[in-house]
Amino acid sequence: MTPLTALPTAELVALAAERRDALFGTRVTYSPKVFIPLTKLCRDRCGYCTFAESPRTAVAPYLSPDEVLAIAEQGANAGCHEALFTLGELPELRYPAAAEWLAARGHASTVSYLAEMAGLVMAETGLLPHANAGALEEADLAALRSVSASQGMMVESLRPDLAAHRGAPDKVPARRLATLDAAGRLAIPFTTGILVGIGESEADRVEALEAIAEAHRRHGHVQEVIVQNFLPKPGTAMRDTPPCSHEDHVRAIALARLVLPDTVHVQAPPNLSAPEELAGLLAAGIDDWGGVSPVTADHVNPERPWPSLEALRTATEDSGHQLAPRLTIYPEYAGVPERWLDPAVRFPVLDRADADLLGRDDPGALWPERHQDAAQVGTGAEVIQIGRRSTAWFSGAGVDPTPLHPGRVPVGGRVREVIDGVRAGQDPGADELEALFAARGAEVRAVAELADEIRRRVVGDEVTFVVNRNINYTNVCTFRCTFCGFSKGPLSLNLRGAPYLLTLEEIADRTEEAAALGATEVCLQGGIHPKFDGNFYVEVAQAVHERVPDMHIHGFTALEVLEGSRRLEEPLDSYLRRLQEAGLRSLPGTAAEILDDEVRAVLCPDKITTDEWLEVHRVAHGVGLRSNITMMFGSIERPTHWVRHLLRTRALQRETGGFTEFVGLPFVHMAAPIYLKRAARRGPTWRETLLVHAVARIAYAHDVEHVQASWVKLGPVGAAQLLAAGVDDLGGTLMDENISRAAGASHGQGLTPAELADIAHAAGRPLRQRTTLYGEVAVRQESAAG
């Protein structure tokens, strides 16, 4: 077999690109970060370095805490996720001034001070520290692990006689390899790399890559390898050394991709190559651009400015790939936090992660949330946030989402294959739907366009809505759903306002008020009160039906129905028929959350199972009651769980035909107990929200005709955008929405038909008032048309 180093460059690069695409598809990542040069003092004297200074030229031996925090705050305001601490290695061993500065502040070492500053940055800004402190002993690596999401150290080269490393005791190969191995024993997600063109041969590069690969095979901790090209700098010992050629660089990248295990990411710094050379780096097999800062310079290479994000996106898209931000810890490691993250770092990582465990990609600042006691809000309540407010989009937060990213070039890869297959009539399965959920950049628009084509074919251009009122008759509940900011149990009496229980008369009164305002539907849902027996729900339906006989009663979740039948020990079909006789006409799809018991074990451990939810709706359809499908997404689950939810409900629809619509419910995190306990994400990103609705439309197609947007969680601007992504229904006017409000949503408790018309008109679509089951309203409301 021909050794890799003997292959011509074109063949080597082609093999590497093929491997990269097979492993990572079209996604190329980068880390939006801020660089914090904690100290420029260093005991090493490398022949290429302009970063290191002496106490004579440094303004101060170290940045002060205030200076560190000021830089980090700039990064947080600019939407960064990572704080990269750059520093010289062990300066206190060379410079008395460094040791004295540290001792005066209670630190025996630079690493001790670094740990304090990393903890400060994470606590105050939420940025995830990455410690790049060089060759360290195991105890120092362990100390930094408790305040950083990842660490790093360049191997550079294992050749022991390089002139570049004379006078650099920390660059001795054995010391670098010992640090790499110690990081693996400590389960630290680690970044390392090689420096190309400092006097080593291509065989030397392969030797270094193979040593890194072997360390990774032992411990599984090398998350990325940087392949950095040498550039000479004035004033250094290597100022006259030729720079690494572009061909040598791309060959080294290709060798890295082919030598390293498939689970290791390969990165090349974009600022160290000319703009016209970026395409060659992508072609050679990188899947990551490394850290790019909108705030600070590359302090190690200050003469090389970062390319703009738009330039990086253009270069990436022109190569047939899509750009995506990531965290300093890669998803493979963030997904197993009990192994790879100190407990103190797990929530800060989760708090900045999207459903793929990459970095949240909505523009704006993302500050840690702090709260004080709850305040009463009508029949619900909200937790009061204090401190700095984030400016990024969140479900229910009142910030408008950004428009879809326009594609510059046609998308390719797996997303294109799936889109073409659906257009050709293929029925998308789990693999295809997961591929669509992975869409990034211009791919998202392509998925949205496909969804809208299907929407137009299935239901036309009309946007529909129902005039309705929510009646949440009690907030007292015996179940312990960890996401719910509305219901109250014995342990939450002082968290979300006072408990209440409406009388039958009050429920009927609210129904009569709704009818007077033009409502054709009341939606009845509440907590599972310990004093209810199953007859309570029958009595509620009777009270509403007797007061307003023409009112459509859309009520009682699968949990309420199943619990009612159980408490009466009555067969489910018999109980549903009694509810139907009392006036019930359809069931909401709530209590579904995510129809996957792996997720439900965390979100609602004592609630109905996936199979029980499906069975309630199967039986309801059998007795002639229609229902809808809901999916609450953005808390703890991953896209694979969304796919299972869609496919399980699609299968039931193909069996019964009883579902009227799909309703996506983005998780509102602000006052949700699971978020306040630091165990969930901040709801979905806007990209994920759009994709859930679009992919649902694609998955259901003709099976479930209607896809609804929840304006109360999305806001008017968000709902209008979804009308271009497969959505055809805006749900209800609501009049009295409390559940999202109690979880922290701020979009209000009701919209008028005229306001819903504004949303539809913003999308260039006509609006029509409907009944609950999508029929014509007997008397058209004048306001609905205007």
Side-chain angles (χ1 to χ4, degrees), residues 481-654:
C481 297
T482 60
F483 60 86
C484 183
F486 173 75
S487 68
K488 300 185 63 57
L491 300 180
S492 62
L493 296 181
N494 63 351
L495 175 60
R496 296 184 291 275
Y500 72 89
L501 172 62
L502 300 180
T503 66
L504 294 178
E505 187 75 10
E506 288 171 325
I507 295 170
D509 287 346
R510 293 189 182 196
T511 302
E512 192 169 14
E513 291 170 3
L517 293 169
T520 61
E521 170 195 301
V522 289
C523 182
L524 303 171
Q525 298 179 86
I528 307 299
H529 198 289
K531 294 183 179 179
F532 290 173
D533 65 13
N535 288 321
F536 171 81
Y537 302 109
V538 177
E539 292 164 1
V540 168
Q542 286 173 334
V544 170
H545 185 64
E546 289 172 3
R547 182 73 67 87
V548 187
D550 293 336
M551 184 66 72
H552 184 107
I553 301 175
H554 181 65
F556 314 129
T557 67
L559 173 63
E560 291 171 296
V561 169
L562 189 62
E563 192 67 13
S565 69
R566 282 174 172 171
R567 290 184 182 186
L568 292 173
E569 298 183 348
E570 182 176 359
L572 187 57
D573 60 343
S574 169
Y575 181 61
L576 281 165
R577 286 192 178 94
R578 281 209 299 130
L579 285 169
Q580 193 175 25
E581 290 167 2
L584 180 66
R585 293 295 173 260
S586 61
L587 272 62
T590 38
E593 282 64 75
I594 294 290
L595 292 175
D596 188 278
D597 288 339
E598 177 181 282
V599 176
R600 299 181 76 79
V602 178
L603 289 180
C604 44
D606 56 349
K607 205 170 182 176
I608 58 175
T609 66
T610 294
D611 286 344
E612 287 170 338
W613 188 95
L614 292 169
E615 182 62 17
V616 168
H617 286 267
R618 177 181 287 108
V619 175
H621 298 168
V623 303
L625 290 167
R626 303 293 296 277
S627 64
N628 61 28
I629 303 163
T630 67
M631 184 174 82
M632 187 193 77
F633 60 98
S635 61
I636 63 166
E637 80 295 336
R638 303 287 298 279
T640 187
H641 300 114
W642 303 341
V643 170
R644 292 172 191 170
H645 186 107
L646 295 178
L647 292 181
R648 284 165 178 162
T649 51
R650 186 176 75 178
L652 181 56
Q653 178 71 344
R654 289 178 177 178

Side-chain angles (χ1 to χ4, degrees), residues 361-561:
D361 56 3
D362 292 300
L366 193 75
W367 295 101
E369 290 191 3
R370 297 181 173 87
H371 306 89
Q372 65 182 31
D373 290 341
Q376 191 78 22
V377 180
T379 50
E382 65 179 4
V383 169
I384 304 300
Q385 185 182 340
I386 57 176
R388 286 178 287 204
R389 295 298 183 110
S390 300
T391 57
W393 181 87
F394 301 104
S395 172
V399 175
D400 291 337
T402 54
L404 273 176
H405 171 64
R408 296 182 58 261
V409 294
V411 302
R414 180 62 173 147
V415 169
R416 171 52 56 196
E417 290 176 4
V418 175
I419 288 173
D420 290 346
V422 170
R423 285 192 174 125
Q426 294 176 9
D427 196 22
D431 289 346
E432 290 77 21
L433 297 180
E434 285 205 43
L436 296 182
F437 278 128
R440 295 275 170 170
E443 295 171 340
V444 178
R445 181 177 287 277
V447 173
E449 289 171 350
L450 172 62
D452 224 35
E453 288 175 21
I454 295 172
R455 183 270 305 161
R456 195 174 297 112
R457 185 169 68 244
V458 172
V459 295
D461 285 334
E462 276 190 334
V463 177
T464 52
F465 76 100
V466 63
V467 178
N468 68 347
R469 180 173 191 172
N470 271 17
I471 302 178
N472 307 120
Y473 39 78
T474 184
N475 64 349
V476 177
C477 190
T478 60
F479 287 81
R480 300 184 301 276
C481 297
T482 60
F483 60 86
C484 183
F486 173 75
S487 68
K488 300 185 63 57
L491 300 180
S492 62
L493 296 181
N494 63 351
L495 175 60
R496 296 184 291 275
Y500 72 89
L501 172 62
L502 300 180
T503 66
L504 294 178
E505 187 75 10
E506 288 171 325
I507 295 170
D509 287 346
R510 293 189 182 196
T511 302
E512 192 169 14
E513 291 170 3
L517 293 169
T520 61
E521 170 195 301
V522 289
C523 182
L524 303 171
Q525 298 179 86
I528 307 299
H529 198 289
K531 294 183 179 179
F532 290 173
D533 65 13
N535 288 321
F536 171 81
Y537 302 109
V538 177
E539 292 164 1
V540 168
Q542 286 173 334
V544 170
H545 185 64
E546 289 172 3
R547 182 73 67 87
V548 187
D550 293 336
M551 184 66 72
H552 184 107
I553 301 175
H554 181 65
F556 314 129
T557 67
L559 173 63
E560 291 171 296
V561 169

Side-chain angles (χ1 to χ4, degrees), residues 44-50 156 163-168 171 236-238:
D44 296 316
R45 296 183 294 276
C46 297
Y48 48 75
C49 181
T50 58
E156 294 190 7
H165 290 158
R166 289 175 191 158
K171 296 297 174 72
T236 66
M238 298 180 68

